[in-house]
Structures are given as C-alpha cells and as structure tokens.
Amino acid sequence: MIAEVIINRIAKDLNKIFDYIVPKDMENTIKIGARIFVPFGPKNSNIEGFVIGLKQESEFANKEIIKIEDIPLTEENIELAKLMARRYFCNISECIKLMLPPGEKTTNLENRIKDKTANFVYLKKDIDEIEMEIDLGQLKNAKHIKVLRFLSENDGIYKADLEILAEVSSATLKTLEKKDYIEIIEQKIERNPFKSREIKHDKPLPLTEEQQIAFDKISNSKFNEFLIYGVTGSGKTEVYLQLIQNVIDKGKRAIVLVPEISLTPQMVDRFSARFGDCISVLHSKLSTGERNDQWKNIKENKCKIVIGARSAIFAPVQNLGIIIIDEEHDTSYKSDMAPRFNAKDIATYIAKKNDIPLVLGSATPDISTYYNAKNIIRLTKRANNSDLPDVEIVDLRQELANGNRSILSEKLKKEIEKNLENKKQTILFLNRRGFSTFVMCRDCGYTVKCKRCNISLTYHMKEDKLKCHYCGYEMNNIKTCPKCKSKNIKHFGSGTQKLEELIYSTYPQATTIRMDIDTVSKKNSHEKILNQFKEENIDILIGTQMVVKGHHFPNVTLVGVIAADASLNTEDFRANERTFDILVQVAGRAGREKLPGKVIIQTYSPENFCIECSKEQNYDNFYKTEIELRKQLKYPPFCDIIMFGINSVDKDEIKEASEKLYNLLKKYGQAEMQIMPPLPAPIDRIKYKYRWRIIAKCKLNNKIIDIINRALEDYYNLKYKKTRVSVDVNPNNMS
Ligand code: ADP
Ligand code: ZN
Ligand code: ZN
C-alpha cells in the first residue's frame, strides 16, 4: 500500500505530494487524515506529514512511513483541504491547520485548574519582522526560530504548553524574553471566560408575522441559502435562536458565525440565556489551551451550539443541522492571510454536504450576496417598535467657508452641549487613530516616513512619539526638520487622540473614554472599555470603527461622525459599500430604546450617494446605484478581482519575478483574463519588504483556477529565493 503524503510546512512549493510505502503492520491502522512521520530530504530527517490519499502502486515511492502519530482528521477534512488549496492557491498543509485542534496536543489543563494563575507567552515582534531578520541572517539560532514561528500561530499560549509543544527549555524562553522577542506574563486562568457570569434564563418570544414567515421558510428546509435582510433591531437574532432550538429539538447541532469584534459576552449571553451552557465559544482572544478545550468538547459532542469567528466554520461538529452567519457583510469573514478563504464559501460547501440550510443575516447585505441571493427574507419593522434615528448631514466645506476650521462643526458642538446638559451619552466616531496623521516641514516639504515602510508616521501625543501604523516602528517626535533644520514643523490631519484633546478643551466638564487599537490591547479588551462607558455613564466615547459594531447602549442619544469621507477615497472596489455600512452601523448606535436618537454626519462630499443614502438608511436605494456602478466598472459580482501580491526584500529580484509571473499568466490565461502588467503596490514597501502586484479581472471559474495554478506551478519552479507570491481573490485591502 502507498500513502500520498503532504509534508507539513513546505512554504514555497505549492502542494507537492510525496508517495511513501506503508509498512505491512500499518496497513490496517492507516487512514486518510492520519498524522505520520516520514524520512524526508537528503538527510532523511524525521518529518511530520499528513496522509491525504491511499493507493496500491507508485513508481516513485521508495521510503517507508516511520510512525503513525494519530488520526486527527477525517476524509472529509482532507477533501475540503484539497479543494481549498486549489481554490485559494495555497498549501494543503495551511488548510489542514485550520481543521486541527488549536495548539494541537496541549498539556492537561484539568490538572492545572487549581492554580489561579499561570504564565502565558506572547510574541512581542511581528512575525513578518522576525521572518525578515531570518532572511537577513540576523536571527540564526534554529531553536529560537522554531519557537518564534510556533508562537506566531499560537500566540498567548500557556508557557508549560509551549515548552512541551515546541520542545523548548525555560532557559531559551528567558533568552528570547531578554532579547525582546517575547513577553512572559503571569495571568489569571479563565478557563471559560464566558461561562462564569450569572445569566437569567429566558424564553422564546412569540414571533411577529414577518419573523414567523422567516422561521417557516427556513426551519424545514434542506440545503438552501437564505438571506435575512432586516435593519438592526428587526428581530433577526430572535429568529436565529428559534431556528437553533428547532434544530436542537431534532437532536442536531448548529454553528453560528459572528464577526470577531462583535463576539462579546453580551452577545454570548443572549445564547446562554436561551440554551444554558451547551455552547462552545471560539475566538482569537481565548488562549490556545482554552480553544483546545472547546475544540475537544465539540469533538466529543458535549456542546450543541458553536459560536465563533471565521475559523469556527471548521469546528468538528457532528450531525450539523444549520449554519448561521450574522452580519454576513462583515469583512472579517474573509481571511487576509493564507489560506485566504472566505468563510461564507466554506459554509456553503459544508451546508451543501450536510444538506442543511445556511442563513445569512444583515441590515446592509454584501452587494454580491444580495445580487446572487435567491431567497431573500425581509424583516422590515423594528421588533420593539423603536424609531430609526434622525440623521443630519453637515457640509464641512460650508463650515470652512464660515470660518470654522475645527473638526467639530457648529451643529455637532451644539448637539454635544445639549446632550451633556441632558445627561445623555454621546459617541464620536473617527476612523483614524493617533494624534495627527502626518508630520511635515513647512519650509522644504519633508514628511517623516517610516524607515521600514514607505508610509508617513503618525504622531502619538501621550508618548510624544511618531509611530508607523503598518509595522509598529516608533521614533521620538522631531522638533527640527532632519533635512533643512527648519523648526517650522507642522502636524496635519486629525486622529482620535486629537479629537479627545479637542473635546477636553471644549468641554472641560465632560468625562470621556477613548477606544482604538492604542487603548485596546490583548489584555485589556474593548469589552472593558465599553462596559465602563455604559456602567459609569461616561459622557463621551471617542473611537475608531471598534465602536460601531452591535453594542447596545440605552443612554446614547447622539452619534457624531467626524469625517464620513475617510473611507470613500480609497482605491478599494468596496469603498462605497464600506462607507455606507459603517454610516448605517454608527447611526444604529443612537437611540436604540425609548429615547429618540440623533446622528450628525460631517462630510466634505454631501452629494455623494453613499452619504445621501445613509441619511435615510436606505439600503435599497444604495444598492440600486452601487450595482449599476459595479456593472459599468466590471467589479464583483460581475467580475472577480484577482490580486497577485509579490513581496521581497530584494528590489531587483521582485521586479524580475513579477515580470516572469506576469508572462506566465499571459501565456496560459491571456484569452480568459484581463491581466494588468505588474506595478509597485500603492504602499510599495512595508517592513523592509518591497511590494509589487499584478491585478487580473475575470469571472473566477474552474478553468481560470486551473490556469492560475498552472502559472503558479511554473513560477515556483523558477525558484526565486527571496520573493513570495500570494493570490487573493476580491481582497479586502487593495493597498
Ligand atoms: P436584530 O438581531 O435584527 O438586531 P434582535 O433579535 O436583537 O434584532 O431584536 C431586537 C430587540 O427586539 C431585542 O430586544 C429583542 O428582544 C426584541 N424582539 C425580537 N423579536 C421580538 C418579538 N417577536 N417580540 C418582542 N420583542 C422582540
Ligand atoms: Zn525641512
Ligand atoms: Zn513601518
């Protein structure tokens, strides 16, 4: 017998499959999905791999499998991994990783639960930066490299687990800590952070007529995709809850996907209140050990509902009865890292396999979802009959003309004042963090850029530092121009810190809290800030888009959008969609209960249709205009955008490699695809790496997928050592 084996971690060769002889005594135990060890390479080192196929003969096999470790995957897993590798142009082993228990085999946490605290290890440097140092030969110690790479996939792991899994000594970790690569932190063990809370049990509500129609259509359906399109508060979640109950009553299980950021305890509480503690929660803030626990529970069929972010779609749920994807338009369902999969596609695949319904829900559906949807179920009324907030657009050009140079319009200032007097809460939204967005010398025009990236640095006032938002590089603030020695340095643009300063000086009596990546770290979740805002009744919450998602603040009656245009002027094909979504969502934070809400949207382009439509919160009108534009411009859903991202430390090699890849794509796909010649990306250097890209437009189908895979295979045979290529279909980020 011969096993087809994929070796774990051959990053640059796409999916090379190796044939190994299965020794006689293993023939009965070996299965597709087995984790094995095989002799590999010129030194025949003992390397981990996975069996992805079994057959009787092979001309190539001449070595035997050494050992079967375990069988963590099913044949279905392997089939999906193969499909994904082909469809997302990545390694099978990268796809397999998503289906393995997080952190794989961890030490027995049950034994350690009596301890109240444990040491956790976090990566301090970005993995790209580490890879860079490895490429440049600055980091050579193989042990160190192994640990750091392991950590990049299992950040925040228990130290004891790390020592076992990465086979590393405490002393080595100490060294890495000294060298500032990692930090070791003693933290409370919260085995299940969501289950410790006291939750009142609740009962299903009698459904409204619209909800009942939705429920009836879906509840007895076989495989089908449904889109529940209804404004926030229209009762979508109540429908999900009852659909899940229906599935559980039949002895089946459910997967619910939610955007990472809205996976809050409140959200989980709603499910716990209805279903008790038969829920498993999977998300990235859990430690590896905790995620591993959850995974095991699911596998052992101990829970009925899995709630999680993107990767939870791979949870080993048996006897699945329904998949629900809430806020389906959210970009976090698409992975920006390899495998660059879209959880919605995977959900469709799994739902089809299990012949069960897939439910997508949104107030502002993804344009492509809406266009392709065959079963749209509308919820038109807010279930608790609260009104939509009153939205007012303020033209910032007019403000300037009237001599107001502040980022707060007169109108917004007045409304904030009124709200403060009435002891009501306000949210101010600005999607730029830091103080100023760039620093420039007024005399010679020099702007301060990151030394590792081709990007201007942002001033952070509290630390008096200039920071790069792409790689984390920091330097001291400058008082004189490094180029012409002038002292005429000026800060342009405004971020959340500047807004906070402005609020302090304008309303010294007001209490404020700020929420952006700088105030939210791994150990201090945005959850805490939001709770504080709610419970301490803080007057004003200032934040980036973290503030917009799914939170319920009964006392918030005013929402101000400082610069609605910020997301419009990007070259992203989803720029309009993003802008509209975010405006509708921010507006949804105001007046969620009895109190009427007011929303002020400040903009330099009030005539733009995204902004006009957000005034009425009218998705239908927005959709009508946007879909026409997409058609004209040949954007999704009419065409797919395939972005080949090329990265390299070598300025010359990247150019040559890009040309070669372009020629191969032309060679195989000229007739099928519109392929643009390679060009440096808009941000052409990040973390010392040069960035080029090739963009192709076409409708992605099997033929095109084959063409691209063939071109990539030829490309990899050219063996460019310092250059990496990634392929992203309809990427979230085009910069
Ligand atoms: P969505 O998920 O669309 O934002 P929810 O399901 O959260 O909407 O419902 C919004 C509010 O309306 C919640 O407070 C919920 O308890 C309430 N609600 C939902 N359905 C009903 C119903 N059938 N009868 C009464 N209240 C309802
Ligand atoms: Zn200067
Ligand atoms: Zn940088």
Side-chain angles (χ1 to χ4, degrees):
M1 193 190 264
I2 304 295
E4 294 177 331
V5 175
I6 197 98
I7 303 292
N8 224 344
R9 222 187 281 250
I10 298 185
K12 281 171 198 169
D13 266 353
L14 263 195
N15 302 321
K16 234 188 183 134
I17 296 166
F18 300 90
D19 287 352
Y20 280 89
I21 299 162
V22 182
K24 272 269 169 304
D25 61 333
M26 289 183 199
E27 282 191 356
N28 287 329
T29 36
I30 200 149
K31 279 203 177 86
I32 292 177
R35 188 202 322 256
I36 54 167
F37 283 89
V38 292
F40 188 80
K43 287 192 211 149
N44 273 332
S45 13
N46 195 343
I47 274 193
E48 187 186 271
F50 285 90
V51 177
I52 65 158
L54 291 166
K55 56 189 179 188
Q56 285 316 314
E57 277 161 42
S58 160
E59 315 169 32
F60 309 106
N62 55 18
K63 295 177 196 169
E64 283 195 349
I65 293 174
I66 299 167
K67 175 181 164 204
I68 302 176
E69 181 73 19
D70 54 359
I71 304 178
L73 298 168
T74 62
E75 212 168 324
E76 283 88 58
N77 288 149
I78 298 294
E79 186 189 318
L80 176 56
K82 279 184 184 168
L83 273 172
M84 286 177 71
R86 176 176 172 274
R87 166 71 176 70
Y88 300 114
F89 315 104
C90 61
N91 281 134
I92 296 183
S93 57
E94 286 168 324
C95 304
I96 283 178
K97 222 170 271 159
L98 292 166
M99 304 170 199
L100 289 173
E104 306 195 2
K105 287 161 292 167
T106 49
T107 51
N108 191 351
L109 299 169
E110 300 291 343
N111 294 340
R112 246 176 314 116
I113 192 71
K114 50 186 183 298
D115 304 341
K116 288 267 177 339
T117 61
N119 283 322
F120 290 77
V121 186
Y122 291 95
L123 208 53
K124 244 181 133 173
K125 281 196 187 176
D126 195 276
I127 185 65
D128 278 343
E129 200 178 323
I130 292 166
E131 291 292 342
M132 184 66 236
E133 289 180 18
I134 298 168
D135 285 350
L136 293 174
Q138 294 163 351
L139 183 60
K140 289 197 206 104
N141 185 315
K143 260 226 133 81
H144 292 180
I145 293 174
K146 182 176 170 197
V147 176
L148 295 172
R149 282 190 175 144
F150 183 87
L151 264 177
S152 78
E153 281 158 18
N154 300 286
D155 205 16
I157 190 171
Y158 292 102
K159 181 160 168 278
D161 285 345
L162 179 64
E163 287 169 8
I164 293 167
L165 292 168
E167 294 161 327
V168 58
S169 69
S170 216
T172 308
L173 292 179
K174 266 254 144 55
T175 314
L176 283 170
E177 189 181 24
K178 259 195 217 121
K179 292 189 166 176
D180 231 22
Y181 283 103
I182 60 172
E183 53 187 333
I184 303 173
I185 301 169
E186 186 173 327
Q187 275 178 273
K188 266 225 303 269
I189 299 179
E190 291 181 61
R191 285 262 306 187
N192 193 338
F194 290 135
K195 276 188 194 161
S196 54
R197 302 150 65 95
E198 279 287 317
I199 295 155
K200 260 199 268 146
H201 190 74
D202 78 356
K203 291 211 176 63
L205 298 164
L207 294 178
T208 62
E209 202 174 314
E210 287 184 329
Q211 284 173 322
Q212 189 66 46
I213 293 172
F215 179 87
D216 291 341
K217 275 195 181 148
I218 302 165
S219 60
N220 287 313
S221 168
K222 295 194 170 285
F223 168 67
N224 215 333
E225 267 183 59
F226 298 93
L227 171 63
I228 304 186
Y229 158 40
V231 293
T232 342
S234 62
K236 296 185 292 296
T237 308
E238 184 61 36
V239 175
Y240 305 155
L241 292 171
Q242 301 204 15
L243 284 168
I244 294 169
Q245 185 65 57
N246 175 59
V247 158
I248 293 176
D249 291 344
K250 293 183 198 158
K252 296 194 167 187
R253 307 280 177 256
I255 293 182
V256 183
L257 298 188
V258 296
E260 178 80 49
I261 195 157
S262 53
L263 193 55
T264 59
Q266 280 96 314
M267 149 86 206
V268 176
D269 283 356
R270 259 189 99 177
F271 282 78
S272 307
R274 193 65 57 86
F275 301 109
D277 57 6
C278 59
I279 297 169
S280 250
V281 181
L282 287 168
H283 64 97
S284 63
K285 286 242 169 70
L286 298 178
S287 74
T288 310
E290 284 163 339
R291 273 184 292 138
N292 193 284
D293 279 3
Q294 302 278 334
W295 202 267
K296 258 191 243 149
N297 276 341
I298 298 167
K299 195 143 194 178
E300 289 162 13
N301 215 356
K302 282 187 192 149
C303 80
K304 296 179 180 155
I305 306 164
V306 175
I307 306 176
R310 179 174 72 216
S311 300
I313 194 65
F314 299 105
V317 182
Q318 292 152 41
N319 205 4
L320 196 60
I322 194 167
I323 304 175
I324 292 167
I325 303 186
D326 191 29
E327 312 225 31
E328 65 83 31
H329 61 277
D330 194 274
T331 52
S332 72
Y333 290 123
K334 161 93 172 52
S335 170
D336 292 336
M337 295 173 302
R340 293 175 167 74
F341 70 96
N342 190 328
K344 284 191 274 181
D345 297 337
I346 309 292
T348 303
Y349 171 86
I350 294 176
K352 207 182 254 170
K353 273 241 134 177
N354 289 278
D355 200 19
I356 56 169
L358 166 62
V359 179
L360 307 174
S362 177
T364 52
D366 179 274
I367 293 287
S368 298
T369 305
Y370 197 82
Y371 180 79
N372 292 319
K374 296 195 182 64
N375 302 293
I376 300 177
I377 303 174
R378 299 190 65 143
L379 299 182
T380 55
K381 301 182 196 76
R382 278 191 157 183
N384 56 5
N385 281 324
S386 59
D387 293 325
L388 287 173
D390 166 33
V391 182
E392 195 169 326
I393 312 257
V394 172
D395 186 348
L396 286 173
R397 292 170 309 191
Q398 201 58 45
E399 291 288 313
L400 269 179
N402 295 342
N404 178 14
R405 305 188 64 86
S406 157
I407 51 172
L408 294 179
S409 62
E410 290 304 328
K411 179 79 204 170
L412 183 53
K413 270 192 220 159
K414 253 192 223 114
E415 291 291 336
I416 297 175
E417 240 156 70
K418 221 162 71 188
N419 233 27
L420 286 171
E421 274 165 27
N422 295 336
K423 303 247 175 303
K424 293 284 171 278
Q425 290 177 293
T426 300
I427 295 178
L428 297 177
F429 166 67
L430 175 60
N431 218 1
R432 272 189 305 244
R433 66 198 174 94
F435 188 82
S436 63
T437 38
F438 65 103
V439 181
M440 193 170 92
C441 166
R442 280 224 151 150
D443 289 335
C444 75
Y446 175 85
T447 49
V448 189
K449 284 191 168 173
C450 176
K451 69 171 189 180
R452 303 191 277 217
C453 314
N454 191 5
I455 201 93
S456 14
L457 296 178
T458 301
Y459 178 55
H460 284 241
M461 190 163 71
K462 200 161 147 231
E463 305 106 302
D464 197 29
K465 286 230 151 90
L466 301 173
K467 292 191 189 177
C468 173
H469 285 182
Y470 280 82
C471 74
Y473 170 77
E474 310 184 354
M475 61 181 270
N476 289 330
N477 185 23
I478 55 162
K479 300 272 178 328
T480 51
C481 170
K483 206 167 145 205
C484 76
K485 308 286 173 241
S486 154
K487 291 205 185 306
N488 203 355
I489 302 285
K490 175 126 170 83
H491 292 218
F492 291 89
S494 314
T496 43
Q497 290 182 2
K498 194 174 193 170
L499 178 58
E500 195 179 25
E501 275 301 305
L502 184 64
I503 296 291
Y504 278 145
S505 55
T506 320
Y507 311 101
Q509 78 280 23
T511 49
T512 65
I513 192 162
R514 178 163 61 86
M515 185 161 87
D516 51 37
I517 304 179
D518 301 312
T519 61
V520 171
S521 64
K522 224 173 253 155
K523 290 126 237 159
N524 175 24
S525 73
H526 72 293
E527 201 44 46
K528 280 192 194 145
I529 296 182
L530 293 174
N531 278 341
Q532 201 182 340
F533 175 59
K534 193 165 168 177
E535 272 146 32
E536 296 174 19
N537 208 13
I538 288 168
D539 296 318
I540 303 174
L541 169 67
I542 295 164
T544 54
Q545 68 190 30
M546 283 182 190
V547 302
V548 308
K549 295 257 164 79
H551 309 286
H552 196 71
F553 303 111
N555 206 28
V556 171
T557 52
L558 174 65
V559 168
V561 178
I562 303 301
D565 321 70
S567 57
L568 270 183
N569 309 317
T570 59
E571 71 171 293
D572 192 335
F573 72 89
R574 292 192 190 86
N576 292 334
E577 189 175 354
R578 292 264 170 83
T579 305
F580 179 76
D581 285 355
I582 226 161
L583 291 178
V584 169
Q585 286 201 29
V586 187
R589 297 308 113 217
R592 300 255 303 173
E593 272 176 13
K594 308 281 157 341
L595 310 162
K598 174 117 198 151
V599 180
I600 308 269
I601 295 177
Q602 305 192 136
T603 174
Y604 287 99
S605 32
E607 67 290 337
N608 183 291
F609 79 98
C610 307
I611 292 176
E612 272 183 351
C613 292
S614 72
K615 182 166 165 44
E616 322 272 62
Q617 312 220 4
N618 191 327
Y619 176 82
D620 297 315
N621 282 347
F622 169 73
Y623 175 81
K624 265 183 227 147
T625 311
E626 178 66 11
I627 199 79
E628 278 309 313
L629 280 175
R630 297 270 183 108
K631 201 180 218 164
Q632 280 166 23
L633 296 167
K634 291 209 172 61
Y635 280 159
F638 301 98
C639 193
D640 291 301
I641 295 177
I642 304 163
M643 190 169 91
F644 298 84
I646 304 129
N647 278 309
S648 180
V649 283
D650 187 323
K651 207 173 175 168
D652 301 319
E653 191 183 283
I654 192 170
K655 192 158 185 276
E656 191 188 309
S658 303
E659 289 292 343
K660 284 274 161 49
L661 178 59
Y662 173 66
N663 289 334
L664 287 166
L665 288 167
K666 285 272 245 209
K667 177 174 158 195
Y668 295 123
Q670 185 143 38
E672 260 53 49
M673 296 190 267
Q674 184 194 346
I675 313 167
M676 267 65 91
L679 278 176
I683 300 174
D684 60 9
R685 204 164 81 118
I686 292 183
K687 289 172 201 157
Y688 295 115
K689 278 194 183 137
Y690 296 94
R691 306 169 81 236
W692 282 56
R693 66 183 195 185
I694 299 169
I695 289 176
K697 275 166 119 183
C698 62
K699 193 89 189 153
L700 195 73
N701 55 28
N702 275 325
K703 190 167 175 199
I704 303 272
I705 291 173
D706 284 340
I707 288 172
I708 294 173
N709 275 313
R710 201 177 323 148
L712 285 173
E713 217 164 281
D714 283 11
Y715 169 83
Y716 285 115
N717 281 332
L718 298 173
K719 303 231 182 288
Y720 286 107
K721 284 221 168 58
K722 291 177 250 168
T723 304
R724 289 183 196 173
V725 173
S726 64
V727 187
D728 203 336
V729 179
N730 300 330
N732 278 337
N733 188 340
M734 307 268 295
S735 54

